[in-house]
Amino acid sequence: MPEEPYLVLARKWRPQAFDDVIGQVHITRTLQNAIEAGRIGHAFLFIGSRGIGKTTTARVLAKALNCTAGDSATPNPCGECDNCTAIAAGNSMDVIEIDGASNNSVEDVRQIRENVRLVPSQSRYKIYVIDEVHQLSSSAFNALLKTLEEPPEHAIFIMATTESHKVPATIISRCQRYDFRRVSLDDLIALLKRVLANETVTATDEALRAIARASDGGVRDAESILEQLVTYCDKTIEFKDVVDVLGLVDWAVLNEMAEAILAQDVGAALHIVEQVTASGKDLSQFVQDLLGHYRNMLICKTTDAKDLLGLPEEDLAALKQQSETYSLTKLIRLVEQFAELTKDFDSQLAQRIALESLLIRISKVSVEMSIDAILEKLVQLGAGGIAGAPDPPSSTTQRSVGAAVLAEALPMEPISESTDTPNSKPGITVSNDNLREHWLTITHAIAQENLKVGVALGRAHPSGIDGDALCIAFTDANKPSRESLERVDSRSVIDTLLQSLTANLRTYKIEGNREPSPANSMSETDNDNPGKTSRHHVAAKDAEEAMTDPHVAKVVEVFRGEIVDIKHPPPGA
Ligand SMILES: [Zn+2]
């Protein structure tokens, strides 16, 4: 059975009875009731993450089944008979512990199958405890299944796994299944207190809470951390000792960081990273703590489920108050982004860079903007450079206001730098073969240069390359866009852009009306496919009308969305 390095405290305090098992009452009580009622299955499956009491419970169960204090299995093993003491010491002849990771061959399981026929030497049951059972090979599982199908009366299998999805359904269906939970903060603290009660070292409540928090619901981790601290401290374990030993970041620093992020203060945020790095703390732990902090805030904001947090009342109140200062979208985004960040950690440097770039990104207004806010901004801009007078013909050095705002507000596709510095780069060579893949880049670049022209172009579909000309076509529905692209000022914008962006295109041609190919079109409407069942809630006619608004069209294009509903502003708004 795999063990953490020898743990004095854990050994000393390993639960000897069901009541001593921490935080799994839902399981221990069921097991006790089953034993009491004489309903003892032949196969148990214990599922749950590592270090939360699966093997411990398996040993207590083994004792309960084989305890000789009474005439039969007992819900409360005595802990003193030969069988109880032998099981506790790990040398009972009839309780066989097998590590699935190192005994996973079909030969190993065949041996179990042969041994299982032999009656137990000095007990009621012959008990096989198979840890990490998911690691058995598939042929070993098959062999095991045969035994489970017709187990001898005296045989009991207790299997434990951290990855139940890797255990074949045929095995699971033959087992009584028990799902172990991560242990709550309060239960862990109670356990730590109990362990310490018999030691000469004491601990402050703050320190115990920090240990419990760091062990993330794992009993074995909590015990192992406590063990380190008992060795580290002379008399009293204090909060700062826990912080030192575990390389944790102080809560105050976490709060400072949360405030810097909220205030979009990049300087302050980066200084905190510097501070954390300089003090030799573990950055990945810091990020995980921050992630936990935001996750708690998010839960606080969205539910009343205090049990999900395992925090004392005063912490809860403070968290609740903090969560009010964040919008829900912001919190969700923070959690998602920090979660994403923790996936990529491999080196300290990579961590730092990833963290810093994330901090900058989330401190920018643009990323936080909701779609509503973007739409509002676009509508406000309607009076300016977009829906009003056409842009100056050669606005190649200065982008229109609308485009600039959009470029900032929306995550545009990366665009070649040549849009800003014409003739400095040879540009892309666009052919009939790769036209589709460059189409978005071209329309985006043009939208950045001149939103109105870009939007109009976005409603066209590319139909091919003819010499140095890009051929585009419109459907009837997009007649206004077609007309706007026939104008001289539009021509100037597009031609200039094509020349700077591409190596081979100088201009464009608008071809006669034709139906778009569905894959290429970004302006396809239900009218184009009258036979298709509409998934839109909105009449195609209304959607088309809405699309004639360049702001709407742009949003649809950038988000690759579709119009599913139309709401009109109240009169006077
Ligand atoms: Zn006993």
Side-chain angles (χ1 to χ4, degrees), residues 415-475:
I415 287 162
S416 159
E417 286 191 343
S418 57
T419 54
D420 277 323
T421 50
N423 308 324
S424 67
K425 276 185 170 183
I428 46 178
T429 303
V430 184
S431 65
N432 280 319
D433 290 333
N434 66 15
L435 177 55
R436 264 185 66 188
E437 66 178 275
H438 290 307
W439 178 240
L440 259 187
T441 312
I442 293 171
T443 50
H444 276 157
I446 289 170
Q448 283 218 318
E449 202 62 48
N450 183 314
L451 185 62
K452 194 179 170 190
V453 175
V455 167
L457 188 65
R459 281 205 211 117
H461 62 94
S463 51
I465 305 294
D466 183 7
D468 63 355
L470 165 68
C471 303
I472 57 172
F474 287 92
T475 58

Side-chain angles (χ1 to χ4, degrees), residues 67-68 78-79 81 84:
C67 177
T68 53
C78 73
C81 68
C84 281

Side-chain angles (χ1 to χ4, degrees), residues 267-297:
L270 296 187
H271 273 115
I272 296 170
V273 175
E274 172 65 35
Q275 200 184 311
V276 171
T277 315
S279 63
K281 303 294 185 199
D282 181 357
L283 263 189
S284 58
Q285 182 63 50
F286 177 58
V287 172
Q288 282 165 46
D289 287 351
L290 262 179
L291 176 61
H293 190 65
Y294 285 122
R295 172 253 181 203
N296 286 350
M297 255 195 249

Side-chain angles (χ1 to χ4, degrees), residues 115-170:
N115 282 334
V116 87
R117 305 281 150 206
L118 308 172
V119 291
S121 59
Q122 47 203 339
S123 319
R124 251 171 244 122
Y125 297 102
K126 194 157 200 155
I127 300 168
Y128 291 84
V129 179
I130 309 179
D131 201 12
E132 303 294 351
V133 69
H134 62 271
Q135 299 209 4
L136 293 182
S137 64
S138 59
S139 48
F141 270 127
N142 284 336
L144 179 64
L145 186 61
K146 291 211 175 78
T147 314
L148 291 180
E149 277 166 351
E150 285 172 56
E153 213 31 59
H154 60 257
I156 290 181
F157 288 84
I158 308 173
M159 292 167 273
T161 180
T162 48
E163 297 177 62
S164 60
H165 60 278
K166 291 186 182 163
V167 180
T170 46

Side-chain angles (χ1 to χ4, degrees), residues 63-64 66-70 74 76-85 87:
K63 276 200 270 183
N66 279 350
C67 177
T68 53
T74 166
N76 298 300
C78 73
E80 284 163 7
C81 68
D82 287 350
N83 274 351
C84 281
T85 49
I87 293 168

